[in-house]
Amino acid sequence: MYKLVANLVKVILKLMGSKARVYGEENLPKEGGYIIACTHTGYVDILNLGVAMYPQEIHFMAKKQLFEMKGLGWLIEHLNAFPVDRDNPGPSVIKIPSQLLKEGKVVGIFPSGTRNSEGTDLKQGAITIAQLAKAQIVPAAYVGARNAGDVMKRGKGYLIYGEPFYVTGKGKEGREQFTQHLERELVALTEELENRIAVK
C-alpha cells in the first residue's frame, strides 16, 4: 500500500510542478532508525517529505482523531501512521516510536503540533523520544505549496534536511535545552531555504 500511494503521489506532484526540490540529502543517516522532525504548515509538506525519502518509509505520528474518520483512518493506518492522543498522552506516545526506532525505522514527527503558519512553540515530544530511545534527530524544513489549491496553481515545493544530532542532555533540563536547539535549527533551515529560493 505504501509503495503504491507513494508512487501515485510522486507522479501527481511531479505533473503539477509541486514535487519538492530537495537539499541536504547527504545529512540523512545511511543506517539505523532515526527521527525526522519537519516544519509543518499544511498537508502537502507531509506528502513531499514522504515522496522525497521514498523508498525509505516513514512512520508518521498523527493525532488520533484522524484515525476516527471513516476512510481516512483506514488509509493512514496502512501508510504506517500511528495514533497519538494529544490531550491525554499515554505510554504509547513513547513506546510505539521507540520500538520503531529500535527496529531501525524512520519516525516522522511534526514538533510544532498543529498545522499553521504562525509557528507554535515546539513541543518536547520529538526530543523526549530521541532522548529515551538514544536515537538521532534530523531537523528538516519545508517551504512551498501547502494544500490542494496551491498544487492546482502549480505551486512549487522546497525541502531541506539539516545535520542530525543526538540528545545528549539528561532529564528535564536536557529536554528543554535540546528543544530550544531543535527550534533554532528549524528556524535556521527555513531561512536558508528561503534564501535559496530568493536567488533562483
Side-chain angles (χ1 to χ4, degrees), residues 66-141:
L66 296 178
F67 290 83
E68 296 167 358
M69 298 173 67
K70 190 174 182 180
L72 179 61
W74 179 88
L75 177 62
I76 61 177
E77 185 176 348
H78 285 77
L79 292 179
N80 299 343
F82 58 94
V84 172
D85 187 341
R86 290 178 184 162
D87 297 323
N88 299 291
S92 62
V93 172
I94 303 296
K95 186 176 180 181
I96 294 174
S98 294
Q99 181 60 38
L100 290 168
L101 292 166
K102 185 178 179 181
E103 294 170 1
K105 294 173 180 173
V106 177
V107 173
I109 299 177
F110 297 96
S112 57
T114 55
R115 297 198 315 261
N116 63 65
S117 55
E118 302 297 326
T120 59
D121 291 337
L122 287 170
K123 297 180 180 178
Q124 291 187 355
I127 296 299
T128 301
I129 293 166
Q131 184 188 54
L132 296 176
K134 296 180 173 58
Q136 294 186 87
I137 291 188
V138 177

Side-chain angles (χ1 to χ4, degrees), residues 1-6 9 47 57-60 67 72-82:
M1 174 66 83
Y2 194 104
K3 180 179 180 180
L4 174 65
V5 174
V9 170
L47 300 177
E57 296 186 7
I58 306 176
H59 296 257
F60 287 108
F67 290 83
L72 179 61
W74 179 88
L75 177 62
I76 61 177
E77 185 176 348
H78 285 77
L79 292 179
N80 299 343
F82 58 94

Side-chain angles (χ1 to χ4, degrees), residues 2-70:
Y2 194 104
K3 180 179 180 180
L4 174 65
V5 174
N7 282 309
L8 179 61
V9 170
K10 180 178 180 178
V11 169
I12 293 172
L13 290 176
K14 194 169 184 177
L15 286 174
M16 299 306 295
S18 296
K19 182 175 175 290
R21 179 165 185 173
V22 183
Y23 303 93
E25 289 178 287
E26 68 279 3
N27 288 321
L28 294 175
K30 300 296 185 291
E31 56 184 29
Y34 61 90
I35 296 168
I36 185 151
C38 189
T39 57
H40 192 32
T41 57
Y43 57 82
V44 176
D45 48 26
I46 303 174
L47 300 177
N48 259 317
L49 180 60
V51 165
M53 292 192 62
Y54 187 77
Q56 175 69 68
E57 296 186 7
I58 306 176
H59 296 257
F60 287 108
M61 180 181 285
K63 61 182 181 180
K64 72 166 190 174
Q65 288 85 348
L66 296 178
F67 290 83
E68 296 167 358
M69 298 173 67
K70 190 174 182 180

